[in-house]
Amino acid sequence: METQNLLPGTLDLLILKTLTQGSKHGYAIAEHLRAVSDDVLQVGESSLYPALQRLLVNGWVKAEWGASENNRRARYYTLTAGGRKQLRFEEQDFDRMIAAIRKVLQTA
């Protein structure tokens, strides 16, 4: 499933949750999402990097340059305290949305 099929805002939620495990560069975030979802979530650069930029602008992540596992220059993203707070909010909002969708599907 490509990211355009996700509910709006879900990619931000997934990135924030991924970063609770520690700092990661963009490719590592995409690979984590792919692996954990059993290859269902395929996040392309055209979706991932605008989402990361949006999270940076909102102060929910911070970024710094470092060296990747392959000794290549990479930008590492880290969850901020504000990002943790936003993650809790988005998890609650997501749960509420899923419950509402489930109710509709059970009545149809």
Short mmCIF file of all heavy atoms in Angstrom, two decimals, residues 34-70:
data_model
loop_
_atom_site.label_atom_id
_atom_site.label_comp_id
_atom_site.label_asym_id
_atom_site.label_seq_id
_atom_site.Cartn_x
_atom_site.Cartn_y
_atom_site.Cartn_z
N ARG A 34 8.29 -0.47 6.12
CA ARG A 34 8.09 -1.58 5.18
C ARG A 34 8.22 -2.92 5.90
O ARG A 34 7.36 -3.80 5.76
CB ARG A 34 9.11 -1.52 4.04
CG ARG A 34 8.92 -2.59 2.97
CD ARG A 34 10.16 -2.76 2.12
NE ARG A 34 11.34 -3.09 2.89
CZ ARG A 34 11.58 -4.30 3.45
NH1 ARG A 34 10.71 -5.27 3.33
NH2 ARG A 34 12.69 -4.51 4.14
N ALA A 35 9.25 -3.06 6.70
CA ALA A 35 9.51 -4.35 7.36
C ALA A 35 8.44 -4.67 8.41
O ALA A 35 7.93 -5.80 8.45
CB ALA A 35 10.90 -4.32 8.01
N VAL A 36 8.11 -3.70 9.25
CA VAL A 36 7.13 -3.94 10.31
C VAL A 36 5.74 -4.23 9.74
O VAL A 36 4.99 -5.01 10.32
CB VAL A 36 7.10 -2.74 11.29
CG1 VAL A 36 5.93 -2.84 12.26
CG2 VAL A 36 8.41 -2.65 12.05
N SER A 37 5.43 -3.65 8.60
CA SER A 37 4.11 -3.86 7.99
C SER A 37 4.09 -5.06 7.04
O SER A 37 3.13 -5.23 6.30
CB SER A 37 3.68 -2.60 7.23
OG SER A 37 4.48 -2.42 6.07
N ASP A 38 5.14 -5.88 7.05
CA ASP A 38 5.22 -7.03 6.15
C ASP A 38 5.09 -6.61 4.69
O ASP A 38 4.33 -7.22 3.92
CB ASP A 38 4.17 -8.09 6.50
CG ASP A 38 4.41 -8.70 7.87
OD1 ASP A 38 5.58 -8.81 8.28
OD2 ASP A 38 3.43 -9.07 8.53
N ASP A 39 5.77 -5.55 4.33
CA ASP A 39 5.84 -5.02 2.96
C ASP A 39 4.55 -4.36 2.49
O ASP A 39 4.41 -4.05 1.31
CB ASP A 39 6.24 -6.10 1.96
CG ASP A 39 7.65 -6.60 2.20
OD1 ASP A 39 8.49 -5.79 2.64
OD2 ASP A 39 7.91 -7.78 1.92
N VAL A 40 3.58 -4.15 3.36
CA VAL A 40 2.33 -3.51 2.95
C VAL A 40 2.54 -2.01 2.75
O VAL A 40 2.05 -1.43 1.79
CB VAL A 40 1.21 -3.77 3.98
CG1 VAL A 40 -0.04 -2.97 3.65
CG2 VAL A 40 0.90 -5.27 4.05
N LEU A 41 3.28 -1.37 3.65
CA LEU A 41 3.49 0.08 3.57
C LEU A 41 4.80 0.37 2.85
O LEU A 41 5.87 0.09 3.37
CB LEU A 41 3.50 0.70 4.96
CG LEU A 41 2.23 0.52 5.78
CD1 LEU A 41 2.42 1.06 7.19
CD2 LEU A 41 1.05 1.20 5.11
N GLN A 42 4.69 0.90 1.65
CA GLN A 42 5.85 1.27 0.85
C GLN A 42 5.85 2.80 0.77
O GLN A 42 5.04 3.38 0.06
CB GLN A 42 5.74 0.68 -0.56
CG GLN A 42 5.53 -0.81 -0.59
CD GLN A 42 6.82 -1.58 -0.34
OE1 GLN A 42 7.90 -1.12 -0.64
NE2 GLN A 42 6.68 -2.77 0.22
N VAL A 43 6.72 3.43 1.53
CA VAL A 43 6.74 4.89 1.60
C VAL A 43 7.84 5.41 0.67
O VAL A 43 9.02 5.15 0.90
CB VAL A 43 6.98 5.38 3.04
CG1 VAL A 43 6.98 6.90 3.10
CG2 VAL A 43 5.93 4.80 3.97
N GLY A 44 7.43 6.13 -0.34
CA GLY A 44 8.38 6.69 -1.29
C GLY A 44 8.95 8.02 -0.80
O GLY A 44 8.40 8.65 0.11
N GLU A 45 10.06 8.42 -1.40
CA GLU A 45 10.71 9.67 -1.02
C GLU A 45 9.78 10.86 -1.19
O GLU A 45 9.83 11.81 -0.41
CB GLU A 45 11.97 9.89 -1.85
CG GLU A 45 13.09 8.93 -1.52
CD GLU A 45 14.34 9.21 -2.34
OE1 GLU A 45 14.41 10.26 -3.00
OE2 GLU A 45 15.25 8.38 -2.31
N SER A 46 8.92 10.81 -2.22
CA SER A 46 8.03 11.95 -2.49
C SER A 46 6.99 12.14 -1.39
O SER A 46 6.40 13.22 -1.27
CB SER A 46 7.34 11.79 -3.84
OG SER A 46 6.52 10.63 -3.84
N SER A 47 6.75 11.14 -0.58
CA SER A 47 5.84 11.26 0.56
C SER A 47 6.61 11.43 1.86
O SER A 47 6.22 12.20 2.73
CB SER A 47 4.96 10.01 0.67
OG SER A 47 4.15 9.87 -0.46
N LEU A 48 7.71 10.69 1.99
CA LEU A 48 8.45 10.67 3.25
C LEU A 48 9.09 12.02 3.57
O LEU A 48 8.92 12.54 4.69
CB LEU A 48 9.53 9.58 3.20
CG LEU A 48 10.39 9.46 4.47
CD1 LEU A 48 9.53 9.05 5.66
CD2 LEU A 48 11.52 8.47 4.24
N TYR A 49 9.82 12.59 2.64
CA TYR A 49 10.58 13.79 2.97
C TYR A 49 9.70 15.03 3.19
O TYR A 49 9.99 15.82 4.10
CB TYR A 49 11.70 14.03 1.95
CG TYR A 49 12.77 12.97 2.17
CD1 TYR A 49 12.88 11.88 1.33
CD2 TYR A 49 13.62 13.03 3.27
CE1 TYR A 49 13.81 10.88 1.56
CE2 TYR A 49 14.56 12.04 3.51
CZ TYR A 49 14.65 10.97 2.66
OH TYR A 49 15.56 9.98 2.91
N PRO A 50 8.59 15.20 2.44
CA PRO A 50 7.68 16.30 2.81
C PRO A 50 7.08 16.10 4.20
O PRO A 50 6.91 17.06 4.95
CB PRO A 50 6.59 16.24 1.73
CG PRO A 50 7.27 15.64 0.55
CD PRO A 50 8.23 14.63 1.14
N ALA A 51 6.79 14.85 4.57
CA ALA A 51 6.26 14.58 5.92
C ALA A 51 7.31 14.92 6.97
O ALA A 51 7.00 15.55 7.99
CB ALA A 51 5.83 13.13 6.03
N LEU A 52 8.55 14.52 6.74
CA LEU A 52 9.62 14.84 7.69
C LEU A 52 9.82 16.35 7.81
O LEU A 52 10.02 16.87 8.91
CB LEU A 52 10.93 14.15 7.28
CG LEU A 52 10.97 12.64 7.54
CD1 LEU A 52 12.16 12.00 6.83
CD2 LEU A 52 11.00 12.34 9.03
N GLN A 53 9.73 17.05 6.68
CA GLN A 53 9.87 18.51 6.72
C GLN A 53 8.73 19.14 7.52
O GLN A 53 8.93 20.06 8.31
CB GLN A 53 9.89 19.07 5.29
CG GLN A 53 10.14 20.55 5.21
CD GLN A 53 11.48 20.96 5.81
OE1 GLN A 53 12.45 20.22 5.77
NE2 GLN A 53 11.52 22.15 6.40
N ARG A 54 7.52 18.60 7.33
CA ARG A 54 6.36 19.09 8.08
C ARG A 54 6.56 18.87 9.59
O ARG A 54 6.26 19.74 10.40
CB ARG A 54 5.11 18.35 7.57
CG ARG A 54 3.80 18.83 8.06
CD ARG A 54 2.62 18.22 7.31
NE ARG A 54 2.67 16.76 7.20
CZ ARG A 54 2.86 16.10 6.06
NH1 ARG A 54 3.03 16.73 4.92
NH2 ARG A 54 2.87 14.78 6.04
N LEU A 55 7.09 17.72 9.95
CA LEU A 55 7.34 17.42 11.36
C LEU A 55 8.42 18.33 11.93
O LEU A 55 8.34 18.76 13.08
CB LEU A 55 7.72 15.94 11.52
CG LEU A 55 6.64 14.92 11.14
CD1 LEU A 55 7.19 13.50 11.20
CD2 LEU A 55 5.40 15.06 12.00
N LEU A 56 9.43 18.64 11.11
CA LEU A 56 10.48 19.58 11.53
C LEU A 56 9.91 20.98 11.77
O LEU A 56 10.19 21.60 12.80
CB LEU A 56 11.56 19.67 10.46
CG LEU A 56 12.68 18.65 10.49
CD1 LEU A 56 13.50 18.72 9.20
CD2 LEU A 56 13.57 18.85 11.69
N VAL A 57 9.11 21.46 10.82
CA VAL A 57 8.53 22.81 10.92
C VAL A 57 7.66 22.93 12.17
O VAL A 57 7.66 23.96 12.84
CB VAL A 57 7.73 23.14 9.64
CG1 VAL A 57 6.87 24.38 9.83
CG2 VAL A 57 8.67 23.31 8.46
N ASN A 58 6.95 21.86 12.50
CA ASN A 58 6.09 21.88 13.68
C ASN A 58 6.85 21.66 14.98
O ASN A 58 6.26 21.73 16.05
CB ASN A 58 4.99 20.82 13.54
CG ASN A 58 3.94 21.24 12.54
OD1 ASN A 58 3.57 22.41 12.47
ND2 ASN A 58 3.46 20.31 11.74
N GLY A 59 8.15 21.36 14.88
CA GLY A 59 8.96 21.15 16.08
C GLY A 59 8.76 19.79 16.72
O GLY A 59 9.14 19.60 17.88
N TRP A 60 8.20 18.85 16.00
CA TRP A 60 7.93 17.53 16.55
C TRP A 60 9.12 16.59 16.37
O TRP A 60 9.18 15.55 17.02
CB TRP A 60 6.66 16.94 15.94
CG TRP A 60 5.46 17.78 16.24
CD1 TRP A 60 5.27 18.59 17.33
CD2 TRP A 60 4.28 17.92 15.45
NE1 TRP A 60 4.05 19.21 17.26
CE2 TRP A 60 3.42 18.82 16.13
CE3 TRP A 60 3.87 17.37 14.24
CZ2 TRP A 60 2.17 19.18 15.63
CZ3 TRP A 60 2.61 17.72 13.76
CH2 TRP A 60 1.79 18.61 14.44
N VAL A 61 10.03 16.93 15.47
CA VAL A 61 11.29 16.22 15.32
C VAL A 61 12.39 17.26 15.15
O VAL A 61 12.13 18.40 14.79
CB VAL A 61 11.30 15.23 14.12
CG1 VAL A 61 10.24 14.18 14.26
CG2 VAL A 61 11.18 15.96 12.80
N LYS A 62 13.61 16.85 15.44
CA LYS A 62 14.76 17.69 15.12
C LYS A 62 15.68 16.85 14.24
O LYS A 62 15.56 15.61 14.21
CB LYS A 62 15.47 18.17 16.39
CG LYS A 62 16.05 17.08 17.24
CD LYS A 62 16.69 17.65 18.49
CE LYS A 62 17.27 16.53 19.33
NZ LYS A 62 17.90 17.02 20.54
N ALA A 63 16.56 17.50 13.52
CA ALA A 63 17.42 16.77 12.58
C ALA A 63 18.86 17.24 12.71
O ALA A 63 19.12 18.40 13.04
CB ALA A 63 16.94 17.00 11.15
N GLU A 64 19.76 16.31 12.50
CA GLU A 64 21.18 16.65 12.45
C GLU A 64 21.87 15.69 11.49
O GLU A 64 21.42 14.55 11.30
CB GLU A 64 21.82 16.62 13.83
CG GLU A 64 21.78 15.29 14.52
CD GLU A 64 22.36 15.38 15.94
OE1 GLU A 64 22.51 16.48 16.47
OE2 GLU A 64 22.66 14.32 16.49
N TRP A 65 22.95 16.17 10.91
CA TRP A 65 23.68 15.37 9.94
C TRP A 65 24.62 14.41 10.66
O TRP A 65 25.17 14.74 11.69
CB TRP A 65 24.47 16.26 9.00
CG TRP A 65 23.59 17.02 8.06
CD1 TRP A 65 23.19 18.32 8.19
CD2 TRP A 65 22.97 16.52 6.88
NE1 TRP A 65 22.36 18.66 7.15
CE2 TRP A 65 22.21 17.59 6.32
CE3 TRP A 65 22.97 15.30 6.21
CZ2 TRP A 65 21.48 17.45 5.15
CZ3 TRP A 65 22.23 15.16 5.05
CH2 TRP A 65 21.50 16.22 4.53
N GLY A 66 24.76 13.22 10.09
CA GLY A 66 25.66 12.22 10.63
C GLY A 66 26.06 11.25 9.53
O GLY A 66 25.74 11.48 8.35
N ALA A 67 26.73 10.19 9.91
CA ALA A 67 27.15 9.17 8.94
C ALA A 67 26.25 7.95 9.09
O ALA A 67 25.97 7.50 10.20
CB ALA A 67 28.60 8.78 9.17
N SER A 68 25.81 7.40 7.95
CA SER A 68 24.96 6.22 7.97
C SER A 68 25.80 4.97 8.21
O SER A 68 27.02 5.04 8.34
CB SER A 68 24.21 6.09 6.64
OG SER A 68 25.13 5.75 5.62
N GLU A 69 25.13 3.82 8.23
CA GLU A 69 25.81 2.54 8.40
C GLU A 69 26.82 2.30 7.28
O GLU A 69 27.81 1.59 7.45
CB GLU A 69 24.80 1.39 8.40
CG GLU A 69 23.68 1.53 9.40
CD GLU A 69 22.59 2.49 8.96
OE1 GLU A 69 22.35 2.66 7.74
OE2 GLU A 69 21.95 3.09 9.84
N ASN A 70 26.56 2.88 6.11
CA ASN A 70 27.44 2.75 4.94
C ASN A 70 28.45 3.89 4.85
O ASN A 70 29.06 4.09 3.81
CB ASN A 70 26.61 2.71 3.66
CG ASN A 70 25.65 1.56 3.66
OD1 ASN A 70 25.91 0.52 4.26
ND2 ASN A 70 24.53 1.71 2.97
#
